[in-house]
Amino acid sequence: EIGRRLRSAEEELVDLRAIRDALLSPALVQRDGMTIAAQTTPAQGHVGGDFYFVGRGPEPTAIMAIGDVVGKGLTAARRAAFTRTVLASVAPYSDDPCRLLGWVNTALVERLGATAEFVTAACLIYNPDTRTLRYAFAGHHPALTLDTAEELTAERVGAALGLDRRVNCAMGVSELAPGAGILLYTDGLTEAKGARDRYGNQRLRATLINHAGRSAEDTIDLLKTAIERHTAGHVDDDV
């Protein structure tokens, strides 16, 4: 019995490592004219249902996405790994974020069926030559500008991935000024529980505004420290 349990634990550990490697690339893709930073903190162990992706789109664009799978632990991590892998495979073929989200949704529904275990996601495509940013959201909250904490809103937020055969999102377009920054995040950040309340949107926006001008990496470190202080180092959801 002990041997059987050990073998089962070893197999799960191998599975966890494979999922972790699928969720987190060894190095972020950096492009000329851009600085990109990312951080993830799973609520349970070494993997969770949150993921991010940075990749090369049709030249000269870069694609950035973030996702949040309903649930936690190994089951959510498997779905997150599948979603991220599909996104990475289709990223070079379109600079339309709605189309990319639609392709990922099709893969989820065809493989797993339309279920309540959905995935919210945001997808941004940036052209550094023209400083044009295209963005779309599938059941996910808007991205924020770093200096002013303003929301990047599209005309229509689509359905979360995996719920239906159609995402039905709308694409937004903005031209970024030199030095502008964008924050993508999951609700594990704003819903992080402290002793009295959650971290919340107001605290997040105030943090960004009060520390405007920071680099991408410094901003990530700043938010990580803020969440650790607010939660006393214990998070209930993936961040």
Side-chain angles (χ1 to χ4, degrees), residues 28-114:
L28 288 172
V29 174
Q30 300 289 346
R31 304 297 299 267
D32 290 342
M34 301 176 64
T35 303
I36 305 169
Q39 174 74 39
T40 181
T41 304
Q44 299 179 0
H46 299 289
V47 296
D50 284 6
F51 68 91
Y52 61 83
F53 170 75
V54 179
R56 299 181 186 279
E59 287 296 333
T61 62
I63 294 177
M64 294 141 288
I66 194 167
D68 183 356
V69 179
V70 169
K72 303 181 183 69
L74 190 56
T75 300
R78 287 193 179 104
R79 187 174 288 260
F82 176 77
T83 304
R84 187 186 183 282
T85 299
V86 174
L87 181 59
S89 69
V90 300
Y93 300 107
S94 178
D95 60 0
D96 182 337
C98 284
R99 180 173 295 175
L100 292 180
L101 291 173
W103 286 342
V104 174
N105 181 67
T106 297
L108 274 170
V109 172
E110 288 186 352
R111 179 183 175 92
L112 305 171

Side-chain angles (χ1 to χ4, degrees), residues 23 28 31 50 87 93-94 98 115-116 119 134-135 138 140 162 189 230:
L23 285 172
L28 288 172
R31 304 297 299 267
D50 284 6
L87 181 59
Y93 300 107
S94 178
C98 284
T115 72
V119 184
R134 299 181 177 184
Y135 43 90
H140 204 84
L189 178 65
H230 186 74

Side-chain angles (χ1 to χ4, degrees), residues 2-16:
I2 292 174
R4 184 189 65 80
R5 291 184 179 182
L6 283 173
R7 286 192 296 273
S8 177
E10 289 172 352
E11 290 172 358
E12 184 171 303
L13 183 60
V14 171
D15 199 7
L16 284 169

Side-chain angles (χ1 to χ4, degrees), residues 106-147:
T106 297
L108 274 170
V109 172
E110 288 186 352
R111 179 183 175 92
L112 305 171
T115 72
E117 297 177 354
F118 56 84
V119 184
T120 71
C123 182
L124 278 64
I125 301 177
Y126 182 62
N127 185 328
D129 290 350
T130 61
R131 296 204 297 270
T132 301
L133 183 72
R134 299 181 177 184
Y135 43 90
F137 307 99
H140 204 84
H141 46 72
L144 299 177
T145 59
L146 288 189
D147 289 353

Side-chain angles (χ1 to χ4, degrees), residues 150-162:
E150 294 179 3
E151 292 184 345
L152 288 181
T153 56
E155 180 180 339
R156 183 175 60 255
V157 175
L161 306 180

